[in-house]
Amino acid sequence: MSFSIKNLSFNIESNSIFALVGNNGSGKTTLLRLLVGLLKQDSGVIKIFGDELTRNKKELWKIRKQVGFLFQNPDDQLFAPTIQEDVSFGARNLKIDEDEVNRRVEWALNAVELSEYKNQSPLNLSWGQKKRATLAGLLVMKPKLLILDEPFANLDFKSIYNHLKIIEKLRKEEKMTILFTSHNLFFVQNWAEDILVLDKGKAIFNGNCIEGLDNLKVKELIGSYDEIHKLIINNKSK
Amino acid sequence: MESLLPFRHENELTFISKIHPIIRFLIPFILIIPFLLIKDIYLTITILFINLILVIVFRLKLRRIFSRIKKIIIFILLLVIFLPLYIGETIIYQFNLGISIKIYREGFELAILLFFRIFTAIFVFMSFFSSLTYSEFIEAITKIRFPSIFVGSLVIFLHYIPILAYSNKRILSAQELRGKRITNYWTKLKTHAFIMAKTLLINMDRSERLYESLKMRGFTGKITFAPRRIKFNDIGILLIFISVVFILVFFINLKDIYIGVVGLFYPLK
């Protein structure tokens, strides 16, 4: 199945939580990759904090410094021999002095509650810990926009709680804007302020989250918990 | 998950951890280059002994080193085992298995020399690598200005080998749960090859995403590490090793010493 992302126009308010919703293969991750310049758009303009996304490496880095991109699979992000090295990687690339790098690493590891694991290999961590380690790797760069691709996928409830608690605390303290993708309507409904619903690369809805999830077209497209609940109850009663 | 090289854990301190990683990375080269250039079995065996003593003195993990070497030893044997059958003129043994098989002295000596050279080189490398952590190893090759493309590839390679091995194991278990029976070595080999090809493709895709994630954090082809300066002591240690090797090569007649020592236990008639 192939399609292109077409005719999309949307704004994300600063310091808000914005969700990108859609079924598997709807183009959510592709859109995220376009937003940070990992993919190049054929036409149109992408602006992040007022700066237009270009192919110029210096300009691109100026924008990317302000954006933290959390990949869906933490193994796609963790590469260094120890968590501390991995977390410090982004900070060192900012060309700040070593003391500041160390301060930020310590702060980020404390924030994600992984200080005691700093000398361990990322390969030895659990999935939830890996996710938090990748988050710390972004936090050291002090991003203004945090892009989270399926941040709660494959996490147990306890890990989701910890993860959410950390992100929310940081969002408030650091005044970050959050853009996330999720299949989980519970999070979308309760966490996001605005949403963009995608279907095969096209926008179905863009606006307030509550209104969006009430929209018939959206409901039909992404389904709902009620539907699943009904199916289970019906099968049980038979 | 076990890595290919016997790296030290970050929390595990050894006697030589204080020596700068670059020096620890360079020492094995200083030790092995002479016996790779000079065809001298006595020098090779001497370096082997010196390395063994260093491993014991520096309290390096001998078991960990040998667990890696034993996986390679069969390949070294395969490399040298046929040499006595083809190289040389002086026959030292001959037997008949339908066809006449001759073992030549020159080939036999060459095989022994080659075996010891390869084995000692690997032993020396593994020993000193076991004193390095993974990050110290990467730091060392970065600072001695190995091409960044090589360092980057190595980082991705060392990172993905354990993941690849783990994926292979999981896919194999899943197949076994669905009734796949591995009855003989050939089936096992075929299954592994098939899975390996598949996971390799998946991991190529993964490494591209890893590269993208590095780019997002400012990667420009160079991995930077926390600075650690080389001290005079470090250079002193390096000079000691160079001097020892220099003396062994140019000033000591190792052959006479070995013959003398052997003669003490087995006097020549």
Side-chain angles (χ1 to χ4, degrees):
Chain A
M1 187 175 66
S2 83
F3 56 83
S4 51
I5 292 177
K6 282 182 205 159
N7 305 326
L8 268 184
S9 176
F10 66 98
N11 288 310
I12 301 173
E13 288 295 318
S14 189
N15 204 17
S16 68
I17 303 173
F18 191 96
L20 212 52
V21 185
N23 294 330
N24 289 332
S26 58
K28 302 186 295 290
T29 304
T30 308
L31 180 59
L32 293 186
R33 283 151 59 95
L34 275 167
L35 289 179
V36 290
L38 288 173
L39 291 177
K40 190 185 168 192
Q41 78 273 23
D42 293 329
S43 60
V45 175
I46 297 169
K47 280 186 178 179
I48 293 184
F49 300 117
D51 294 322
E52 196 179 316
L53 210 68
T54 64
R55 302 314 299 171
N56 179 303
K57 277 186 181 173
K58 267 190 183 170
E59 296 291 317
L60 204 57
W61 176 228
K62 203 177 134 196
I63 293 172
R64 281 179 179 168
K65 274 199 279 195
Q66 305 177 72
V67 182
F69 191 122
L70 191 84
F71 283 66
Q72 198 170 333
N73 183 350
D75 284 329
D76 293 341
Q77 200 164 321
L78 299 165
F79 77 102
T82 64
I83 292 159
Q84 189 169 22
E85 288 286 357
D86 203 286
V87 172
S88 61
F89 176 75
R92 285 218 177 88
N93 288 330
L94 291 174
K95 307 272 183 254
I96 49 179
D97 70 82
E98 198 55 27
D99 287 341
E100 179 60 18
V101 171
N102 292 335
R103 258 196 300 277
R104 285 192 187 193
V105 170
E106 209 180 313
W107 166 77
L109 285 173
N110 274 329
V112 299
E113 295 161 8
L114 280 179
S115 295
E116 58 188 300
Y117 299 96
K118 67 180 180 185
N119 288 327
Q120 283 204 21
S121 161
L123 295 174
N124 297 334
L125 299 182
S126 70
W127 186 267
Q129 287 169 327
K130 277 183 187 176
K131 280 249 180 189
R132 280 189 276 145
T134 52
L135 183 63
L138 307 179
L139 293 177
V140 286
M141 297 173 76
K142 303 255 177 188
K144 286 201 267 175
L145 167 64
L146 206 53
I147 297 179
L148 314 168
D149 193 6
E150 294 287 351
F152 309 116
N154 299 329
L155 291 178
D156 55 59
F157 280 122
K158 190 84 187 159
S159 303
I160 291 173
Y161 175 82
N162 288 334
H163 215 64
L164 198 59
K165 190 178 77 180
I166 291 162
I167 297 172
E168 264 304 290
K169 186 171 174 268
L170 290 165
R171 187 178 75 88
K172 281 173 190 154
E173 283 174 2
E174 305 295 317
K175 296 193 168 47
M176 281 192 279
T177 307
I178 288 176
L179 164 61
F180 75 103
T181 68
S182 183
H183 290 115
N184 195 322
L185 292 177
F186 174 79
F187 293 115
V188 176
Q189 199 168 356
N190 290 289
W191 201 32
E193 292 158 11
D194 292 310
I195 59 168
L196 172 69
V197 184
L198 284 178
D199 180 30
K200 291 175 190 161
K202 286 177 191 157
I204 299 293
F205 180 87
N206 178 20
N208 180 276
C209 179
I210 307 294
E211 284 172 25
L213 295 177
D214 266 348
N215 184 301
L216 272 178
K217 230 175 165 182
V218 173
K219 270 187 176 173
E220 201 179 297
L221 179 76
I222 57 174
S224 66
Y225 278 123
D226 290 345
E227 245 179 9
I228 299 166
H229 188 245
K230 265 182 206 167
L231 180 76
I232 294 168
I233 296 296
N234 284 343
N235 280 326
K236 265 189 181 171
S237 60
K238 276 175 192 173
Chain B
M1 277 180 271
E2 201 180 59
S3 88
L4 286 174
L5 296 170
F7 294 125
R8 172 174 72 85
H9 189 271
E10 300 281 336
N11 292 333
E12 184 188 304
L13 290 175
T14 59
F15 191 61
I16 52 168
S17 309
K18 284 178 187 164
I19 303 172
H20 196 282
I22 292 182
I23 307 295
R24 275 181 279 150
F25 181 80
L26 290 177
I27 290 171
F29 286 96
I30 292 162
L31 288 175
I32 70 152
I33 285 170
F35 74 73
L36 289 184
L37 294 177
I38 307 164
K39 271 188 189 174
D40 183 356
I41 185 79
Y42 302 105
L43 180 66
T44 312
I45 291 172
T46 309
I47 300 284
L48 182 72
F49 277 130
I50 290 176
N51 191 63
L52 193 64
I53 293 165
L54 290 175
V55 168
I56 295 163
V57 170
F58 293 151
R59 290 183 202 160
L60 300 174
K61 307 276 176 189
L62 202 58
R63 194 177 288 176
R64 193 190 295 162
I65 297 164
F66 276 109
S67 79
R68 305 306 198 283
I69 296 179
K70 76 176 182 203
K71 290 174 188 165
I72 313 167
I73 218 154
I74 189 93
F75 293 104
I76 311 174
L77 277 171
L78 276 173
L79 271 175
V80 300
I81 205 159
F82 299 108
L83 291 177
L85 308 179
Y86 294 102
I87 297 169
E89 285 168 357
T90 325
I91 299 166
I92 51 169
Y93 194 73
Q94 188 171 358
F95 52 96
N96 221 321
L97 290 172
I99 51 160
S100 164
I101 295 172
K102 294 166 190 153
I103 296 173
Y104 298 102
R105 173 184 286 278
E106 293 82 357
F108 186 68
E109 283 172 1
L110 182 68
I112 289 179
L113 178 69
L114 265 182
F115 178 82
F116 272 104
R117 279 168 121 187
I118 301 171
F119 176 80
T120 309
I122 292 170
F123 182 41
V124 172
F125 269 121
M126 291 290 186
S127 304
F128 280 87
F129 285 170
S130 77
S131 78
L132 291 165
T133 63
Y134 178 20
S135 45
E136 282 175 339
F137 173 72
I138 301 293
E139 181 188 353
I141 56 172
T142 309
K143 285 196 176 154
I144 53 174
R145 297 180 191 274
F146 262 61
S148 55
I149 182 84
F150 174 77
V151 179
S153 310
L154 199 69
V155 167
I156 291 177
F157 177 76
L158 287 174
H159 178 73
Y160 278 113
I161 287 291
I163 295 179
L164 201 72
Y166 188 58
S167 311
N168 253 25
K169 211 171 155 186
R170 276 190 312 183
I171 296 175
L172 202 67
S173 308
Q175 288 193 350
E176 276 173 347
L177 284 172
R178 285 182 290 159
K180 171 111 188 165
R181 277 191 194 170
I182 296 171
T183 47
N184 56 41
Y185 186 72
W186 178 238
T187 325
K188 193 178 175 182
L189 202 69
K190 270 200 306 187
T191 314
H192 268 290
F194 179 74
I195 297 171
M196 188 60 99
K198 197 168 164 277
T199 43
L200 207 64
L201 286 173
I202 295 168
N203 278 285
M204 273 164 74
D205 191 41
R206 253 182 177 179
S207 59
E208 201 176 317
R209 285 199 295 271
L210 177 70
Y211 176 63
E212 284 180 347
S213 86
L214 293 179
K215 273 206 298 190
M216 282 302 299
R217 291 193 284 161
F219 180 64
T220 51
K222 198 178 166 192
I223 296 169
T224 41
F225 288 93
R228 188 172 151 182
R229 283 190 184 156
I230 297 179
K231 294 175 196 156
F232 280 115
N233 293 350
D234 297 320
I235 294 172
I237 288 164
L238 193 69
L239 289 174
I240 290 171
F241 274 92
I242 293 172
S243 315
V244 168
V245 169
F246 194 77
I247 291 166
L248 284 176
V249 173
F250 295 105
F251 295 102
I252 297 178
N253 190 338
L254 293 167
K255 191 178 174 182
D256 285 353
I257 294 174
Y258 277 98
I259 290 171
V261 171
V262 172
L264 284 176
F265 297 99
Y266 304 100
L268 292 169
K269 285 171 190 170

